[in-house]
Amino acid sequence: MAGEENFKEELRSQDASRNLNQHEAAGHPHSWSLEMLLRRLRAVHTKQNDKFANLLDAVGEFGTFQQRLVALTFIPSIMSAFFMFADHFVFTAQKPYCNTSWILAVGPHLSEAEQLNLTIPQAPNGSFLTCLMYLPVPWNLDSIIQFGLNDTDTCQDGWIYPDAKKRSLTNEFDLVCGMETKKDTAQIMFMAGLLIGSLIFGLITDKMGRYPAILLSLLGLIIFGFGTAFVNSFHLYLFFRFGISQSVVGYAISSISLATEWLVGEHRAHAIILEHCFFAVGAMLLTGIAYSLPHWRLLFLVGGILAIPLISYIWILPESPRWLMMKGKVKEAKQVLCYAASVNKKTIPSNLLDELQLPRKKVTRASVLDFCKNRQLCKVTLVMSCVWFTVSYTYFTLSLRMRELGVSVHFRHVVPSIMEVPARLCCIFLLQQIGRKWSLAVTLLQAIIWCLLLLFLPEELKSMTILVLTLGKFSLAATVTVFFLYTAELLPTVLRATGVGLVSLASAAGAILSLTIISQTPSLLPIFLCCVLAIVAFSLSLLLPETRDQPLSESLGHSSQMRNKVKDMKTEETSSDDMSEEAAKNVILNAQILRLDPYPVSNPALKQFNKEEANSQAP
């Protein structure tokens, strides 16, 4: 009996040491201690409901393997921003004049100024007209100087750019004198690539896996990014930009899915936030390189060379074990988990691996049609599409409004990119304190405030308007970060990437609408639409469930279960407001003693102990 009592006491001491953090929390003020205890109780329930949470605990919650995985997502994010915003630096404004080299046949020693003075018409203010020229005449130079030329026409032999300091697409393909609309065509083509790529890569990521989708997108960045430097026509340039845009959105979808499924809890949030911070770093890097290079082709050459090392991801990038399980590839899932554990210098108990079995219901048949059939999935997709449409439309409208004010292209990218880094880092605090749902609502509310200020600011206050525009982009950067994390957690593993892709369709649609409206309507109407859309998105976001401390949905049937558990957790949290601190602590300790052991099935001694305890307490 004494040995049995010692065994029971030893088990109790092990459980008590496991709950050391809960005992330390009792020393804090009442409200903070109660909140911490309740949060940890929810975390306990989460781990019990998510078998992968226990597995990842055994693998190492955020060990060397996960740290390396997060670091691997940074470099492609930098290159994605590099290629995404390159258009803004290759269409530098150039002042063209008609090519009138025909006069050099009769006056080979004419200076450039004399040539322009004789062959280019002048405006009333004395400046040379950029799109007209005097037609050639069969006279000698003295006659031309004495009598002058009278007959004008549009440029016959192309254009020259005497004041150009850099070689850009504008003077490479003569996008002047009525051809300026092709600049907008390039942006629309890029948005069309985002539109199509969102759908294609969403399907590829869910059907073929996160690993192949990431490799395809990285291969696209290398081929289309490097190849753009060698195009010999503007139409070919548009084709390569179309390919780059698909690769950019493809990597965003597949990398978010992979990080979401490998990481748990706040580590997942931190990884996505840091990935977006490096996206802002990529925009700053692009600005610096574009400012120093004299030729637009060199910009894409540098970007392509920097992207070539991404080929190494073929050998070092892992697949998602959650996706492998959903596809019935149990053996491959176990191999990936064991490899991760070996990198983290951990050992997964064999009985825990044995719990990985094929799901009872076949989930491999999930398709895009399920977004219409499943009510919860349909609601999440529609609400998030509205939010993403609003964010995209507002972001591009603010950027175009800043361009209208005459702000230089380098300022428009450097300053907002610098401010985006702290904006995204602030999301760490928001997500920890108020969760995903209210973080999204707060960032949208900030965007509403800045857009309303823009409506009432007079045009004379140019500096103040630029400041408000910058702060608006600051808020939207935070919204994008929260949005990606929240969307990935709301969607089930079997259709996570497809859902993110469908939602991203709304992003491209919002950007295209912004480009269309701002070029055809007064300046205040696009801003007014920003306010209206932001208010609608804010209202709809309140309909979504919270996902913090909740297990990830694996299949379509799991969505409704998660929604019910969220409601139960809210009821529990409300009823616990009147609970004393000591009672809440007892709930935590009892729950952990009975349930916290991640391997309860494999511990017969503990099962026997619990059985004896129950018998001793029976009447």
Side-chain angles (χ1 to χ4, degrees):
M1 290 296 294
E4 183 179 346
E5 291 298 325
N6 291 337
F7 174 69
K8 292 180 179 180
E9 184 63 32
E10 181 180 354
L11 286 175
R12 290 193 186 97
S13 64
Q14 290 175 357
D15 289 328
S17 62
R18 205 179 291 163
N19 299 321
L20 180 60
N21 292 333
Q22 279 72 17
H23 286 293
E24 292 175 349
H28 294 282
H30 175 83
S31 60
W32 285 99
S33 179
L34 181 59
E35 182 181 351
M36 291 169 59
L37 291 171
L38 291 173
R39 184 178 297 178
R40 289 176 181 176
L41 178 60
R42 288 194 294 268
V44 170
H45 286 295
T46 298
K47 286 190 177 183
Q48 290 173 343
N49 294 325
D50 187 357
K51 61 184 178 182
F52 266 100
N54 290 328
L55 268 172
L56 293 177
D57 270 346
V59 169
E61 190 172 311
F62 195 67
T64 304
F65 178 85
Q66 287 87 347
Q67 293 172 11
R68 187 179 70 183
L69 176 65
V70 172
L72 288 175
T73 64
F74 294 164
I75 299 176
S77 294
I78 295 174
M79 300 314 304
S80 293
F82 189 98
F83 290 120
M84 184 173 183
F85 298 115
D87 265 344
H88 299 281
F89 299 93
V90 298
F91 288 102
T92 53
Q94 306 284 351
K95 192 170 184 179
Y97 298 103
C98 293
N99 180 13
T100 55
S101 57
W102 60 268
I103 199 174
L104 296 179
V106 294
H109 302 295
L110 288 174
S111 65
E112 189 176 80
E114 292 173 334
Q115 178 182 343
L116 293 175
N117 191 52
L118 292 173
T119 59
I120 302 295
Q122 296 184 15
N125 60 3
S127 61
F128 293 109
L129 299 178
T130 57
C131 298
L132 292 176
M133 61 175 284
Y134 288 119
L135 291 176
V137 293
W139 300 351
N140 57 38
L141 182 60
D142 293 333
S143 299
I144 293 174
I145 295 175
Q146 182 178 358
F147 299 105
L149 302 175
N150 295 317
D151 296 331
T152 61
D153 200 352
T154 56
C155 301
Q156 304 292 320
D157 300 313
W159 293 263
I160 60 172
Y161 306 86
D163 300 326
K165 297 180 180 179
K166 292 186 176 182
R167 189 71 169 172
S168 70
L169 278 173
T170 303
N171 51 30
E172 179 90 10
F173 301 116
D174 293 327
L175 304 179
V176 293
C177 297
M179 304 292 286
E180 293 89 350
T181 54
K182 288 191 174 181
K183 300 177 184 178
D184 294 332
T185 303
Q187 287 188 317
I188 293 175
M189 183 63 71
F190 190 88
M191 296 305 166
L194 294 179
L195 198 71
I196 297 174
S198 298
L199 184 59
I200 292 177
F201 272 93
L203 295 172
I204 289 176
T205 304
D206 278 335
K207 294 295 183 183
M208 298 176 58
R210 285 56 170 136
Y211 171 76
I214 290 178
L215 293 184
L216 279 175
S217 59
L218 295 181
L219 184 63
L221 282 179
I222 296 171
I223 293 176
F224 291 108
F226 194 76
T228 305
F230 303 97
V231 298
N232 56 8
S233 70
F234 186 70
H235 291 93
L236 194 58
Y237 174 83
L238 293 179
F239 171 76
F240 274 80
R241 291 299 294 168
F242 181 79
I244 286 177
S245 62
Q246 294 190 64
S247 302
V248 168
V249 72
Y251 177 75
I253 292 171
S254 52
S255 65
I256 287 293
S257 300
L258 185 66
T260 299
E261 293 163 9
W262 262 112
L263 302 174
V264 294
E266 296 307 317
H267 297 300
R268 182 188 304 135
H270 297 167
I272 293 176
I273 290 170
L274 288 176
E275 181 179 347
H276 286 190
C277 287
F278 276 83
F279 187 86
V281 171
M284 290 186 281
L285 176 67
L286 168 68
T287 305
I289 295 178
Y291 183 80
S292 59
L293 293 179
H295 203 295
W296 70 272
R297 294 184 186 273
L298 292 177
L299 184 64
F300 287 99
L301 277 175
V302 171
I305 291 173
L306 292 177
I308 287 177
L310 299 179
I311 295 175
S312 62
Y313 279 46
I314 296 174
W315 298 280
I316 60 179
L317 202 67
E319 182 56 273
S320 164
R322 291 180 186 267
W323 179 85
L324 290 171
M325 283 298 302
M326 287 297 99
K327 292 300 181 182
K329 301 179 179 181
V330 181
K331 182 179 179 181
E332 290 86 343
K334 292 180 179 180
Q335 290 175 346
V336 171
L337 289 168
C338 289
Y339 172 72
S342 65
V343 173
N344 291 338
K345 299 181 179 179
K346 301 279 185 179
T347 302
I348 306 177
S350 58
N351 58 290
L352 193 59
L353 279 177
D354 292 339
E355 293 181 8
L356 283 182
Q357 299 296 335
L358 285 174
R360 294 179 182 178
K361 297 181 180 180
K362 294 293 182 180
V363 295
T364 54
R365 296 180 182 178
S367 67
V368 179
L369 296 178
D370 290 308
F371 286 94
C372 299
K373 298 176 182 178
N374 188 291
R375 183 178 178 182
Q376 176 68 8
L377 204 58
C378 182
K379 184 180 80 170
V380 168
T381 306
L382 290 177
V383 172
M384 283 307 193
S385 296
C386 178
V387 173
W388 201 207
F389 179 89
T390 299
V391 171
S392 179
Y393 172 82
T394 306
Y395 188 89
F396 275 88
T397 299
L398 297 184
S399 299
L400 294 172
R401 176 64 176 150
M402 194 175 287
R403 186 180 70 179
E404 286 182 348
L405 294 174
V407 181
S408 68
V409 63
H410 297 91
F411 181 91
R412 295 201 308 266
H413 284 81
V414 171
V415 175
S417 297
I418 292 174
M419 294 189 66
E420 281 182 13
V421 175
R424 299 181 192 279
L425 292 177
C426 286
C427 294
I428 296 177
F429 175 79
L430 282 177
L431 293 169
Q432 288 178 344
Q433 297 302 318
I434 60 177
R436 278 60 162 156
K437 176 179 178 178
W438 291 107
S439 296
L440 182 63
V442 167
T443 54
L444 283 172
L445 184 60
Q446 288 179 340
I448 294 172
I449 293 173
W450 299 125
C451 290
L452 287 173
L453 282 176
L454 287 173
L455 284 177
F456 298 102
L457 275 176
E459 296 183 359
E460 295 77 16
L461 298 177
K462 182 178 176 180
S463 300
M464 183 63 68
T465 302
I466 293 174
L467 176 61
V468 174
L469 288 170
T470 305
L471 292 174
K473 297 179 75 173
F474 175 94
S475 300
L476 291 172
T479 306
V480 170
T481 298
V482 176
F483 167 85
F484 267 107
L485 172 65
Y486 196 15
T487 305
E489 291 182 343
L490 283 169
L491 295 169
T493 299
V494 68
L495 285 174
R496 178 166 292 118
T498 304
V500 174
L502 288 176
V503 171
S504 299
L505 293 176
S507 169
I512 293 173
L513 180 65
S514 175
L515 291 172
T516 304
I517 289 182
I518 206 166
S519 62
Q520 299 179 359
T521 58
S523 58
L524 287 181
L525 181 58
I527 301 297
F528 176 75
L529 288 177
C530 291
C531 297
V532 174
L533 289 172
I535 292 172
V536 172
F538 172 80
S539 303
L540 291 176
S541 67
L542 301 179
L543 301 175
L544 297 173
E546 178 58 70
T547 59
R548 184 181 66 174
D549 296 330
Q550 298 299 321
L552 288 178
S553 300
E554 300 293 352
S555 60
L556 296 176
H558 190 81
S559 299
S560 58
Q561 297 174 10
M562 186 183 74
R563 184 173 71 254
N564 294 332
K565 289 175 183 177
V566 171
K567 291 180 180 178
D568 294 340
M569 196 63 67
K570 287 182 178 179
T571 304
E572 177 186 349
E573 186 172 357
T574 302
S575 63
S576 299
D577 289 340
D578 298 329
M579 186 189 302
S580 66
E581 180 181 357
E582 188 64 29
K585 184 169 65 175
N586 289 336
V587 171
I588 288 287
L589 297 178
N590 291 334
Q592 288 185 331
I593 289 173
L594 296 176
R595 308 173 190 173
L596 186 60
D597 193 342
Y599 322 120
V601 178
S602 65
N603 199 332
L606 184 57
K607 290 174 62 180
Q608 182 65 26
F609 168 68
N610 291 333
K611 182 178 180 181
E612 292 177 3
E613 285 287 333
N615 293 334
S616 65
Q617 295 177 4

